[in-house]
C-alpha cells in the first residue's frame, strides 16, 4: 500500500455494500486472487503425503498384529500334545519379530511424514489467514477483538495439529486393527468374537452422548469463554498505563476477573457433562474389563464343550488389541473436537469477503476528489454520515473540523476505501473508487492517521514501505521533510535500527515516521487525520512548512483541531452530526459568525489560556 499506515478505524463497522453492478467484484482481470473459504484448497497439494501416511499406517497396523498372532501360534504349538514342532516355533517367533520391526519402521515414518505435513499445513493456514486479514474490510476487523484474532492465527491453527499429524494414523489403526483381528477371531470362534466385541460396542454407544446438542453447546461456550479471556487480557495490557495513571485498577481487573470466572463456570458445566461419559468409555475399554468379559464368555463356552481351552488364547491377546485403538481415539476425542472447532473458526476468517475489486479497473482522469451524496453507518440503525457532498480540487488543502463524533475520521477513511459508502459514491478523477482497483488507488492516495502502527523492521524500511526500491537518499530526504532525520541519527544504528527491538519511539516520532512514509510515496492525494496530534510546536512548524512546500497540485484532506492547521487551509468543512453545516475559507467562515466562528473562538481562547499559563501572563489571541 502506498503510504499506508497500519491503523485501526475510529469505531466498529460493517463492510460496506458491494459496488454497483457495473463495478461488481470479480478478481478475474486484476486485483488479488480470491481467498479460499475453506481449508480444502490448502490441503489438496499435500494429498500424496496424506496417502503415504495412511498407507504406512495400514502396513504398520497389520504388521503390529504379527507379534500377537505369533504368541498365539507359539501357544498352540507348545500346548499341543506330543513333541513341539521346532520349525513352526522358530517360524512363529521370526514372524513376530519381523512384524514388530516393520511396525516400528512404518509407524516412525508415518509419524514423521505426518508432522512434516502438519508444519506445512500450519504455515499455509497462517499465510492464508494473514492474506485474508490483510484484505478484510476494516469494518469487519473493527468488530473483532485483537485477542480473538490472535487466538485464531495462533492457538486455533496450532490446535489443528492432532487433526493433521495424528488423526489419519489413529483412524486407520482404529479401523484396520479391529477389522483384521475380527477376521481372524471369527475364523476361530464366532460366538466368543461377538462376546469380545461387547466392550467396544458399549464404548461406541457412548460416543453419540459426547456429540449431543447440549455437549456441543457447552463446547462452543467453552471456546467463546476462552476468546473472551484472550480479549480481556489484551485490552487490560494495552490500557495498563491509563489504569495506573487514574487509579482504575479495580475496574480494569474486574473485567478480566469476570472473564476468568465466566470461563471457570463454563468449564465446570462442560466437565460435569463429559466426566460420566468419559469415565464410562474408559471403563468399557480398560484391559481388566475386556479380560473379564472374554474370560467369562470363554469359560462359559469351554464349560459347555463348545470350544477348546487353547482357542481362548487369541481372544485374550487380540481382544485387548481390538479395544486399544478405539481407546486411543477416545482419549484423542477432545483434541479432535477442538481441532474441528478451531478449523471452523479458521474457515470463518478465510471466508470473509474482501472489499469487491473491479474485473476491469478504470483509470482516473486526474486527482480531483468528490463525495456525492455519501451516506454511511457502522450499524443499520445508526447513520454516521448523512448525505455528504464535497469537492476537493487539486492543489488545495481542505480542513475538516467539528465536534467529537461528528463523522470526521469516518469521512476521511472513505478515501483510502477502508469502507464503502452505504449510499452515494466517492470519486477520484471522475471514477468511483469501487471501479478503480486497490493497486491504482494506493498509488494515488496516501494517508497518515493519528493511531500509527509501525512494522517491526528498520526505520528505513518503515519509511520506504510504499516505495521498497527507494534509495537511501530518497528516504533521508523524506525524513528531513518530516523533521525526524536528526532523531533517527540518534538511534543505535541510525536508519538501520529495528523499531520494536532496538529502540522505541514516542507517539510524535512515530507520526513523523508515518508522515515521512507518506511524503516518500509522493502520491497526488494525501489524507491526514490529525497527523501532528503528538508533535511538539517546533516539529509541528517544520511539518507545516514541509506540507506547504509539497502542496503544489496535490489534493490534501486534513482532519484538524489546531488553529494553525486550519488557518493554512484553502477550504474549511464544518461537520456536525454527519452533515456539512458550513464550508468556505477560514476568513469567510469567521466573518460569517456561525458555527465555525464559535469553534474558532473557543479554540483560540483555549490556546491563549495555555500560552498564558506557559509564560505566566495573558496569551496572545490575535486571529490569523
Amino acid at each position: 500500500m502506498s503510504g499506508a499506515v497500519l491503523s485501526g478505524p475510529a469505531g466498529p463497522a460493517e463492510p460496506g455494500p458491494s459496488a454497483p453492478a457495473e463495478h461488481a467484484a470479480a478478481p478475474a482481470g486484476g486485483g488479488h486472487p480470491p481467498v479460499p473459504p475453506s481449508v480444502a484448497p490448502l490441503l489438496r497439494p499435500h494429498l500424496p503425503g496424506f496417502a503415504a501416511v495412511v498407507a504406512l499406517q495400514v502396513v504398520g497396523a497389520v504388521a503390529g498384529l504379527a507379534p500377537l498372532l505369533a504368541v498365539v501360534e507359539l501357544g498352540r504349538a507348545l500346548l499341543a500334545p506330543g513333541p513341539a514342532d521346532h520349525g513352526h516355533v522358530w517360524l512363529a517367533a521370526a514372524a513376530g519379530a519381523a512384524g514388530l520391526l516393520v511396525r516400528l519402521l512404518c509407524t516412525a515414518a508415518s509419524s514423521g511424514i505426518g508432522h512434516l505435513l502438519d508444519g506445512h499445513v500450519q504455515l499455509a493456514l497462517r499465510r492464508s489467514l494473514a492474506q485474508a486479514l490483510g484484505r478484510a474490510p476494516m469494518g469487519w476487523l473493527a468488530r473483532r477483538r485483537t485477542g480473538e484474532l490472535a487466538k485464531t492465527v495462533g492457538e486455533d491453527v496450532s490446535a489443528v495439529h492432532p487433526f493433521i499429524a495424528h488423526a489419519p494414523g489413529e483412524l486407520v489403526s482404529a479401523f484396520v486393527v479391529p477389522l483384521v483381528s475380527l477376521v481372524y477371531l471369527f475364523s476361530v470362534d464366532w460366538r466368543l468374537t461377538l462376546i469380545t466385541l461387547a466392550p467396544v460396542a458399549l464404548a461406541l454407544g457412548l460416543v453419540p452422548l459426547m456429540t449431543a446438542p447440549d455437549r456441543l453447546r457447552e463446547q462452543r461456550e467453552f471456546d467463546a469463554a476462552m476468546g473472551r479471556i484472550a480479549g480481556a487480557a489484551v485490552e487490560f495490557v494495552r490500557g495498563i498505563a491509563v489504569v495506573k495513571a487514574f487509579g482504575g485498577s479495580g475496574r480494569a481487573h474486574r473485567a478480566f476477573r469476570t472473564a476468568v470466572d465466566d470461563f471457570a463456570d463454563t468449564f465446570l458445566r462442560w466437565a460435569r457433562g463429559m466426566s460420566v461419559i468419559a469415565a464410562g468409555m474408559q471403563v468399557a475399554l480398560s484391559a481388566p474389563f475386556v479380560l473379564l468379559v472374554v474370560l467369562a464368555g470363554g469359560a462359559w463356552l469351554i464349560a459347555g464343550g463348545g470350544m477348546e481351552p487353547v482357542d481362548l488364547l487369541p481372544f485374550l491377546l487380540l481382544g485387548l488389541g481390538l479395544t486399544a485403538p478405539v481407546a486411543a481415539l477416545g482419549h484423542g476425542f477432545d483434541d479432535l473436537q477442538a481441532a474441528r472447532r478451531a478449523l471452523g473458526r479458521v474457515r470463518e476468517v478465510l471466508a470473509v469477503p474482501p472489499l469487491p475489486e473491479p474485473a476491469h479497473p478504470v483509470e482516473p482522469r486526474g486527482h480531483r476528489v468528490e463525495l456525492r451524496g455519501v451516506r454511511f453507518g457502522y450499524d443499520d440503525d445508526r447513520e454516521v454520515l448523512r448525505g455528504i457532498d464535497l469537492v476537493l480540487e487539486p492543489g488545495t488543502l481542505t480542513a475538516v473540523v467539528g465536534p467529537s463524533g461528528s463523522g470526521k475520521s469516518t469521512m476521511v477513511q472513505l478515501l483510502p476505501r477502508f469502507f464503502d459508502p452505504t449510499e452515494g459514491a466517492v470519486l477520484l478523477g471522475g471514477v468511483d473508487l469501487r471501479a478503480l482497483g486497490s493497486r491504482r488507488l494506493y498509488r494515488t492516495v496516501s494517508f497518515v492517521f493519528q493511531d500509527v502502527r509501525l512494522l517491526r523492521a528498520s526505520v528505513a524500511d518503515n519509511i520506504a514501505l510504499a516505495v521498497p526500491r527507494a534509495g537511501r537518499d530518497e528516504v533521508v530526504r523524506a525524513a528531513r521533510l518530516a523533521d525526524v532525520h536528526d532523531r533517527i541519527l540518534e538511534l543505535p544504528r541510525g536508519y538501520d535500527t529495528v523499531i520494536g527491538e532496538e529502540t522505541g519511539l514516542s507517539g510524535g516520532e512515530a507520526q513523523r515516521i508515518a508522515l515521512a512514509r507518506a511524503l516518500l510515496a509522493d502520491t497526488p492525494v494525501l489524507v491526514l487525520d490529525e497527523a501532528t496530534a503528538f508533535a511538539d510546536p517546533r516539529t509541528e512548524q517544520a511539518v507545516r512548512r514541509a506540507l506547504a512546500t509539497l502542496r503544489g497540485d496535490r489534493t490534501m484532506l486534513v482532519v484538524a483541531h489546531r488553529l494553525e492547521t486550519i488557518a493554512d487551509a484553502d477550504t474549511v468543512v464544518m461537520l456536525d452530526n454527519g452533515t456539512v453545516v458550513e464550508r468556505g475559507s477560514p476568513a469567510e467562515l469567521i466573518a460569517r459568525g456561525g458555527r465555525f466562528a464559535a469553534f474558532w473562538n473557543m479554540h483560540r481562547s483555549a490556546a491563549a489560556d495555555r500560552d498564558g499559563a506557559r509564560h505566566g501572563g495573558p496569551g496572545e489571541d490575535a486571529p490569523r
Side-chain angles (χ1 to χ4, degrees):
M1 285 185 192
S2 293
V5 175
L6 303 178
S7 61
E14 288 289 347
S18 298
E22 63 268 26
H23 302 149
H32 306 287
V35 177
S38 70
V39 298
L42 302 177
L43 299 179
R44 194 170 295 123
H46 305 292
L47 288 181
F50 284 110
V53 169
V54 171
L56 287 169
Q57 197 66 37
V58 169
V59 174
V62 174
L65 293 174
L68 299 177
L69 296 177
V71 173
V72 171
E73 292 303 316
L74 286 173
R76 289 180 184 277
L78 296 176
L79 294 176
D85 184 348
H86 293 286
H88 184 68
V89 169
W90 282 109
L91 179 62
L100 181 60
L101 178 62
V102 171
R103 173 174 173 77
L104 290 175
L105 293 176
C106 289
T107 302
S110 175
S111 177
I113 295 174
H115 282 79
L116 286 175
L117 289 174
D118 174 59
H120 289 305
V121 170
Q122 287 197 35
L123 177 61
L125 282 175
R126 288 196 169 96
R127 283 177 171 171
S128 294
L129 284 169
Q131 192 178 54
L133 291 172
R135 299 175 188 160
M138 291 295 295
W140 183 89
L141 289 170
R143 281 193 175 277
R144 270 69 187 172
R145 293 186 176 186
T146 303
E148 292 176 353
L149 290 177
K151 181 177 181 296
T152 300
V153 177
E155 294 180 19
D156 287 345
V157 173
S158 297
V160 175
H161 171 78
F163 184 80
I164 302 296
H166 300 291
E170 292 177 355
L171 286 172
V172 168
S173 295
F175 286 99
V176 172
V177 172
L179 182 62
V180 175
S181 299
L182 285 174
V183 170
Y184 179 81
L185 293 178
F186 268 112
S187 68
V188 177
D189 191 288
W190 66 270
R191 296 163 300 177
L192 190 55
T193 301
L194 295 179
I195 294 174
T196 305
L197 282 175
V200 177
L202 178 59
L204 293 178
L206 296 174
V207 170
L209 299 179
M210 302 179 75
T211 57
D214 288 345
R215 302 289 82 78
L216 295 177
R217 175 179 53 79
E218 290 167 355
Q219 289 169 353
R220 289 192 297 268
E221 292 174 351
F222 176 88
D223 291 331
M226 283 291 293
R228 287 192 292 271
I229 286 181
V234 171
E235 290 175 2
F236 176 74
V237 171
R238 282 186 168 182
I240 192 66
V242 176
V243 169
K244 287 185 175 182
F246 292 95
S249 58
R251 291 189 298 274
H253 282 95
R254 193 177 305 123
F256 182 73
R257 286 199 303 268
T258 300
V260 172
D261 292 342
D262 178 52
F263 168 77
D265 294 339
T266 303
F267 176 77
L268 288 175
R269 285 197 304 273
W270 175 78
R272 281 193 294 265
M274 292 291 291
S275 57
V276 175
I277 303 171
M281 291 187 68
Q282 288 182 355
V283 170
L285 297 173
S286 63
F289 184 76
V290 174
L291 289 175
L292 177 63
V293 171
V294 172
L295 286 173
W300 173 66
L301 290 174
I302 292 172
M307 190 177 74
E308 294 295 328
V310 71
D311 289 336
L312 180 61
L313 185 59
F315 291 93
L316 293 175
L317 294 175
L318 295 182
L320 296 179
L322 199 66
T323 60
V326 181
L329 271 184
H331 290 307
F333 182 80
D334 291 341
D335 289 338
L336 291 176
Q337 285 290 88
R340 181 184 62 81
R341 298 193 301 273
L343 275 176
R345 290 188 292 273
V346 169
R347 283 197 297 267
E348 287 178 5
V349 176
L350 293 179
V352 172
L355 283 175
E357 287 283 331
H360 304 287
V362 180
E363 285 295 312
R365 299 177 297 277
H367 47 274
R368 182 175 186 264
V369 175
E370 184 177 359
L371 285 75
R372 291 182 183 173
V374 169
R375 307 182 79 91
F376 177 79
Y378 294 116
D379 301 301
D380 293 337
D381 57 347
R382 187 175 69 90
E383 204 170 38
V384 179
L385 301 178
R386 309 167 188 269
I388 301 291
D389 290 297
L390 186 63
V391 175
L392 311 178
E393 297 289 353
T396 63
L397 170 62
T398 302
V400 182
V401 300
S404 297
S406 59
K408 303 184 300 296
S409 292
T410 300
M411 189 183 80
V412 300
Q413 288 174 14
L414 294 177
L415 267 69
R417 208 185 168 204
F418 284 180
F419 317 108
D420 279 337
T422 308
E423 295 181 21
V426 180
L427 291 84
L428 175 62
V431 178
D432 191 318
L433 294 186
R434 289 167 287 199
L436 193 63
S438 59
R439 291 176 182 251
R440 179 58 175 164
L441 174 63
Y442 295 126
R443 285 199 299 267
T444 307
V445 181
S446 58
F447 38 94
V448 182
F449 293 126
Q450 181 174 345
D451 185 16
V452 176
R453 293 287 186 268
L454 298 179
L455 303 181
R456 189 177 290 271
S458 70
V459 174
D461 287 342
N462 268 277
I463 294 176
L465 182 63
V467 191
R469 297 181 180 178
R472 181 57 58 90
D473 291 342
E474 296 172 282
V475 171
V476 170
R477 177 178 176 273
R480 288 184 183 277
L481 289 171
D483 197 36
V484 72
H485 172 71
D486 292 340
R487 175 67 183 103
I488 293 174
L489 294 182
E490 296 173 358
L491 299 177
R493 293 194 297 130
Y495 283 86
D496 295 319
T497 304
V498 177
I499 297 174
E501 291 184 2
E502 299 175 283
T503 188
L505 298 176
S506 68
E509 291 165 349
Q511 278 192 326
R512 280 179 276 158
I513 294 289
L515 182 60
R517 175 191 300 170
L519 296 176
L520 180 60
D522 196 26
T523 57
V525 179
L526 180 60
V527 180
L528 301 100
D529 186 358
E530 199 56 44
T532 57
F534 300 119
D536 57 83
R538 183 184 64 83
T539 301
E540 184 185 2
Q541 290 291 335
V543 172
R544 287 173 58 206
R545 286 195 299 269
L547 294 179
T549 301
L550 293 174
R551 182 180 297 188
D553 65 346
R554 185 178 276 107
T555 304
M556 301 177 66
L557 179 64
V558 180
V559 172
H561 297 95
R562 302 199 182 204
L563 298 183
E564 295 84 352
T565 305
I566 299 170
D568 289 340
D570 299 294
T571 303
V572 174
V573 176
M574 180 84 180
L575 286 186
D576 192 13
N577 198 26
T579 61
V580 176
V581 294
E582 285 186 311
R583 76 181 73 191
S585 69
E588 290 173 348
L589 296 182
I590 292 174
R592 193 178 301 170
R595 299 280 294 275
F596 176 75
F599 173 87
W600 176 276
N601 291 328
M602 180 182 65
H603 280 68
R604 188 176 61 175
S605 176
D609 291 342
R610 287 195 301 270
D611 288 342
R614 186 182 302 117
H615 300 293
E620 295 293 334
D621 63 351
R624 297 178 58 85

